[in-house]
Amino acid sequence: MAFLEVKNIVKNFGNTKVLKGVDFTLEQGEVLSIIGSSGNGKTTFLRCLNGLETADSGTITVDGNIVFPSSKSIENLDSPLTFGMVFQNFNLFPQYSALENITLAMNARDYRILKAKKVKFFEFRRQYNQIKLHNKQIAKELLIRVGLEDKMNNYPCELSGGQCQRVAIARALALKPKILCFDEPTSALDPELTGEVLKVIRSLKDDGRTMIIVTHEMGFAKNVSDRVVFMADGVVEEIGKPKQLFNNPKSEKLKAFLSNLNEKENI
Amino acid sequence: MAVFLEVSSLLLKGFSLSCILFVLTLIIAIPLGLLISFCTMSKFAPLRILFQVIVWILRGTPLMLQLFVIFYGPGLLGLFKWPIMSTGWTWFNQTFSTRFIAALVAFAINYAAYFSEIFRGGIQSVSKGQSEAGQVLGMTKKQIFFKIILLQVVKNILPPMSNEIITLIKDTSLANTIGVYELIFQSKTFMAEGLIWPFFYAGAFYLIFVGVLTIVLGKLEKKMNYFRT
């Protein structure tokens, strides 16, 4: 059984059919890119994976556990998150420093775990403060990891887009998600800033992280992914190794999509 | 000089009551307004519509009218009469009449309606991505609201709230129409002696108070400038 199994995911917004049955599987440590023109359901699919949208039907299984349709009773407080998400617009919390952006959700999780243990007030404070210190250390290491050790105490409005996105990646990593999703992570960036973000994602691949990347950066998709999915019209039109997909496209839609891109490059 | 001291002491007494009315109204109206704003944003249509109508009535009729309805209404309907009841509460030699309580109720409800609209705007102006980011990080709804959304809302609503708060201290003067011994009520008592200047004196109290409020609220706004939403 594959690490991630997506079966027949359907999603409608009113009368608009956005996803018409998405199927694919993903192995642990694999990097999958999703390409396709805008409005073909790539982002909606990612949001269905994360639970930001509720699919109308279909199943999602991760590591043998059904995550959709969700069965909340199985949810374990201590278990790491199933999916992490990096947004196109970063969505950093503006009132918190880079470091606090990362520790916030960790502290929130540990607060809930500690609350569930029902320890007494002073003991609770003591333990919680210890955990917070520990989380701060983890956050620092993550920021060093994405090359922002000198920006720990800066607020998002003081950071460049690329730096914001790297903080957002560190923030997603902090919760140790089993699968990390990227929704067009470089689309909101100035062209000269995309490199620093792509470099971080590349280094995550080298760590053996399982990732799903929705992207318009074809070169990056070609280089970093183990497999590429081409989505068109709400279904997986074609899936395969990047070389095969980009050099020998089978479906007409993918051929048209690629030749369109080539034309653009020649303008 | 003796007259000046007498006027001063009475006006101070009146002003302290105005201030207490002001503070208590804020303490009640802010949480109440937040609650109403949640109701007017509810996905449950009957609740939402009910509270939208209530807010419409409270914002659409004069505060003076609401004050009269709350003060005289129960008596005219034969339920109870505010003036004959005594609260028995004292504070710096002030006894709080039930008239004061009636005024407090009217002000708190009216201002809660105004605040609820400010809160609604403030909450809706925070980008949806903020709560989504919290959601994918596994935070609960409560944690998302208090740890992420609230401070951004506070920053967004501070300017319109300052406006309302400044209006409130002046609106407390309406309470004199139902016989609350606040600042305007006290300065009116000198009309019988043919004195006009106590009114200007009373005006100075409001001016100074609003001046201080403006500085404090401005400082608070500046303090929030370290981030941009």
Side-chain angles (χ1 to χ4, degrees):
Chain A
M1 193 174 192
F3 189 60
L4 167 69
E5 285 200 357
V6 177
K7 272 190 197 148
N8 203 23
I9 292 292
V10 174
K11 175 73 186 172
N12 302 321
F13 288 118
N15 288 326
T16 322
K17 289 175 181 158
V18 182
L19 300 176
K20 298 172 185 167
V22 176
D23 287 279
F24 69 87
T25 62
L26 185 70
E27 294 302 333
Q28 194 155 18
E30 209 180 1
V31 177
L32 183 89
S33 290
I34 304 180
I35 59 168
S37 26
S38 303
N40 276 311
K42 303 184 305 283
T43 296
T44 305
F45 171 66
L46 219 53
R47 290 170 63 85
C48 283
L49 276 185
N50 278 288
L52 290 177
E53 302 285 354
T54 313
D56 295 331
S57 64
T59 56
I60 300 167
T61 319
V62 177
D63 212 1
N65 300 315
I66 297 170
V67 293
F68 180 83
S70 70
S71 38
K72 285 216 168 100
S73 54
I74 304 172
E75 214 170 295
N76 187 352
L77 283 174
D78 295 284
S79 70
L81 279 180
T82 311
F83 292 103
M85 176 81 159
V86 174
F87 296 89
Q88 186 176 347
N89 303 316
F90 334 130
N91 288 337
L92 289 183
F93 309 129
Q95 73 268 44
Y96 293 115
S97 68
L99 195 76
E100 290 163 340
N101 257 282
I102 301 170
T103 53
L104 184 73
M106 283 196 279
N107 290 343
R109 172 200 61 197
D110 295 335
Y111 184 89
R112 290 198 306 273
I113 294 171
L114 209 56
K115 259 271 141 82
K117 282 184 192 158
K118 292 197 166 111
V119 283
K120 290 222 173 70
F121 182 78
F122 289 107
E123 181 60 16
F124 182 93
R125 282 288 136 200
R126 196 186 62 78
Q127 285 192 22
Y128 186 50
N129 285 336
Q130 249 174 13
I131 289 168
K132 279 204 286 195
L133 270 176
H134 177 69
N135 287 344
K136 204 170 167 183
Q137 202 49 45
I138 295 174
K140 274 184 188 163
E141 282 159 21
L142 283 167
L143 279 176
I144 293 169
R145 177 79 228 275
V146 296
L148 288 173
E149 57 271 37
D150 54 337
K151 300 286 181 195
M152 281 181 194
N153 297 316
N154 286 79
Y155 290 91
C157 61
E158 301 163 338
L159 301 175
S160 73
Q163 289 168 337
C164 280
Q165 195 57 300
R166 278 144 70 198
V167 173
I169 293 172
R171 182 176 72 172
L173 287 174
L175 278 289
K176 301 195 180 92
K178 289 177 186 160
I179 299 168
L180 190 51
C181 303
F182 294 83
D183 183 14
E184 304 187 17
T186 57
S187 293
L189 299 178
D190 293 335
E192 76 270 19
L193 297 176
T194 58
E196 56 187 84
V197 172
L198 296 180
K199 221 182 270 172
V200 169
I201 301 176
R202 159 116 246 160
S203 78
L204 294 177
K205 177 193 163 68
D206 298 338
D207 286 359
R209 226 163 243 291
T210 317
M211 294 190 281
I212 299 176
I213 309 168
V214 168
T215 185
H216 288 297
E217 301 266 346
M218 291 307 145
F220 180 67
K222 222 183 274 187
N223 290 331
V224 84
S225 351
D226 298 303
R227 278 188 307 156
V228 176
V229 163
F230 172 65
M231 265 181 85
D233 216 8
V235 292
V236 173
E237 183 74 22
E238 202 165 330
I239 180 166
K241 300 237 179 269
K243 266 187 195 162
Q244 168 203 333
L245 214 82
F246 284 105
N247 299 339
N248 295 310
K250 287 193 191 82
S251 78
E252 289 305 315
K253 280 179 187 163
L254 179 54
K255 278 178 195 163
F257 176 71
L258 291 175
S259 73
N260 221 339
L261 282 180
N262 284 335
E263 253 174 52
K264 234 185 271 165
E265 268 170 31
N266 293 333
I267 291 173
Chain B
M1 196 61 201
V3 179
F4 181 75
L5 282 178
E6 193 198 342
V7 172
S8 298
S9 97
L10 262 182
L11 289 194
L12 255 175
K13 205 173 164 192
F15 183 61
S16 73
L17 198 63
S18 296
C19 287
I20 293 167
L21 187 54
F22 169 80
V23 170
L24 289 181
T25 301
L26 284 183
I27 289 174
I28 300 170
I30 289 174
L32 188 62
L34 195 62
L35 211 66
I36 295 175
S37 76
F38 286 143
C39 293
T40 53
M41 287 186 291
S42 166
K43 278 179 190 147
F44 183 57
L47 185 73
R48 185 181 63 235
I49 292 164
L50 173 71
F51 275 88
Q52 279 170 346
V53 170
I54 291 173
V55 169
W56 171 57
I57 292 170
L58 289 171
R59 294 202 311 161
T61 57
L63 177 53
M64 178 102 77
L65 180 69
Q66 292 164 25
L67 195 61
F68 283 177
V69 167
I70 284 172
F71 184 61
Y72 296 114
L76 292 173
L77 292 171
L79 299 172
F80 64 90
K81 276 203 163 99
W82 288 99
I84 45 171
M85 293 190 297
S86 161
T87 59
W89 303 338
T90 54
W91 171 275
F92 285 118
N93 295 329
Q94 302 248 34
T95 27
F96 289 104
S97 60
T98 44
R99 295 157 182 272
F100 174 86
I101 306 296
L104 178 60
V105 169
F107 285 170
I109 294 174
N110 180 272
Y111 270 80
Y114 277 98
F115 289 165
S116 79
E117 282 299 282
I118 295 178
F119 295 156
R120 187 177 61 82
I123 290 169
Q124 286 174 345
S125 71
V126 175
S127 112
K128 209 160 179 288
Q130 290 290 309
S131 54
E132 286 182 351
Q135 217 179 318
V136 294
L137 289 167
M139 293 171 76
T140 63
K141 272 197 170 153
K142 201 170 137 196
Q143 287 173 331
I144 290 171
F145 182 77
F146 286 105
K147 296 274 180 187
I148 300 172
I149 309 295
L150 189 61
L151 193 63
Q152 298 184 41
V153 172
V154 170
K155 182 186 165 79
N156 288 343
I157 66 172
L158 215 49
M161 277 300 273
S162 304
N163 229 346
E164 282 301 315
I165 288 170
I166 284 170
T167 309
L168 173 60
I169 186 64
K170 291 173 292 168
D171 273 356
T172 57
S173 62
L174 288 176
N176 92 83
T177 57
I178 59 165
V180 175
Y181 297 165
E182 50 70 65
L183 185 50
I184 294 293
F185 190 95
Q186 298 290 15
S187 45
K188 263 198 328 197
T189 57
F190 296 101
M191 271 188 355
E193 295 166 38
L195 295 178
I196 178 68
W197 59 267
F199 281 128
F200 294 105
Y201 196 178
F205 273 96
Y206 289 112
L207 275 177
I208 291 166
F209 191 81
V210 168
V212 171
L213 264 185
T214 307
I215 292 169
V216 169
L217 291 168
K219 280 224 164 106
L220 213 60
E221 253 178 69
K222 244 194 189 145
K223 226 178 172 178
M224 297 264 190
N225 271 347
Y226 77 92
F227 72 89
R228 281 200 298 270
T229 59

